[in-house]
Amino acid sequence: MFHWFPENVSTFGAEMDFMFMVILGITGTIFLLVEAALVYFVIKYRHREGRQAVYVHGNMKLEVIWTAIPFAIVVIIAVMSMGPWMRVRNPERFPPAALTVEVTAKQFEWNVKYPGPDNVLGTADDFTGRNRLTVPNGLPVHVVLRAEDVIHSFFLPELRVKQDAVPGMAIPIWFEATRPGEYVIGCAELCGLGHYRMRGSLVVLDGAEFDAWNASGGSQAGAAAAVTEPVALRQDDTGN
Ligand SMILES: [Cu+2]
């Protein structure tokens, strides 16, 4: 097994990785076969004095075969992906949220709006944070993804989450972390000159630790708080 992925700390990460390996196995095998055939034919049919080219009009049988096989492969991949895709991407099948936050991408930062101790977004105890998303471990978290300016892509490599943030849209996603720790938030869509520094941290806290953090309005964000201290809720950030 290859170890080119970051450690998986997502409940659905193993399914994602499995599908990735299945598709890579199929496409990788076909790639090797095609390249081998290419090299073979380049050598076998290389120029030789006196050899005439042969005119081939087509071969119905071959064409049917090389259309039917890829079609079957694509259908198999689609059927295999359907379950994981629906579980991860269909809002109607999201597990009930323990926490729902709004993440708004803009050049070049991630702004997070938390519901606060009452766990309801859009109330007086909401608070915000910048470039830092703090969530509880082992509980489903919903994120409503927005963008202020251009298309960004919200990427949590360790959680196997990647979703475009599109201006004018509120896109729901979810994930559930399986281990406390600090992970990466990256922007996976070239969004301007500062794209490379559009990074943040996903902080996964144990239940009690998260509750304390949440009850204090995000003020105990830990040692890294100096960099990404929650800022006072600004009216223009909320869009309402
Ligand atoms: Cu971006």
Side-chain angles (χ1 to χ4, degrees):
M1 188 69 181
F2 297 101
H3 290 284
W4 50 25
F5 293 143
E7 172 196 25
N8 165 41
V9 294
S10 173
T11 49
F12 53 65
E15 280 182 292
M16 298 289 109
D17 293 358
F18 174 73
M19 280 314 301
F20 183 94
M21 294 309 294
V22 167
I23 293 169
L24 183 69
I26 294 170
T27 54
T29 305
I30 291 169
F31 172 77
L32 291 177
L33 291 175
V34 168
E35 293 308 302
L38 178 67
V39 170
Y40 174 75
F41 288 136
V42 160
I43 293 168
K44 181 159 194 254
Y45 296 110
R46 68 187 183 279
H47 172 73
R48 281 200 182 136
E49 280 311 322
R51 184 154 76 186
Q52 290 247 303
V54 182
Y55 180 71
V56 181
H57 189 70
N59 185 325
M60 186 63 147
K61 197 171 151 194
L62 265 181
E63 284 167 21
V64 167
I65 290 171
W66 75 46
T67 304
I69 292 177
F71 177 77
I73 292 173
V74 170
V75 168
I76 290 167
I77 292 174
V79 169
M80 286 181 75
S81 315
M82 196 105 73
W85 178 259
M86 290 304 234
R87 272 191 290 287
V88 174
R89 290 300 164 122
N90 183 351
E92 282 162 26
R93 304 215 195 160
F94 286 9
L99 171 73
T100 300
V101 298
E102 268 183 32
V103 172
T104 304
K106 73 171 190 189
Q107 292 170 320
F108 298 95
E109 61 187 37
W110 303 99
N111 287 300
V112 186
K113 186 164 131 188
Y114 297 90
D118 69 354
N119 215 12
V120 180
L121 272 171
T123 52
D125 67 347
D126 290 4
F127 59 91
T128 66
R130 196 162 69 88
N131 289 338
R132 197 174 174 86
L133 172 55
T134 303
V135 300
N137 183 44
L139 291 169
V141 175
H142 290 200
V143 176
V144 180
L145 201 52
R146 300 173 191 275
E148 271 185 36
D149 37 31
V150 299
I151 299 176
H152 301 270
S153 179
F154 182 66
F155 184 30
L156 306 175
E158 286 92 348
L159 277 294
R160 307 299 193 258
V161 168
K162 188 189 272 176
Q163 171 63 52
D164 274 9
V166 183
M169 294 181 76
I171 299 173
I173 52 174
W174 79 280
F175 60 84
E176 180 178 331
T178 57
R179 188 178 312 167
E182 189 163 340
Y183 308 103
V184 171
I185 301 175
C187 181
E189 180 81 56
L190 185 55
C191 58
L193 283 175
H195 165 69
Y196 70 95
R197 62 182 155 85
M198 193 166 166
R199 279 171 85 88
S201 299
L202 172 74
V203 179
V204 179
L205 298 177
D206 262 326
E209 228 182 315
F210 177 83
D211 290 342
W213 175 87
N214 192 36
S216 67
S219 65
Q220 296 171 358
V227 192
T228 53
E229 210 169 28
V231 295
L233 184 63
R234 298 198 311 264
Q235 205 59 29
D236 59 341
D237 271 352
T238 66
N240 50 43

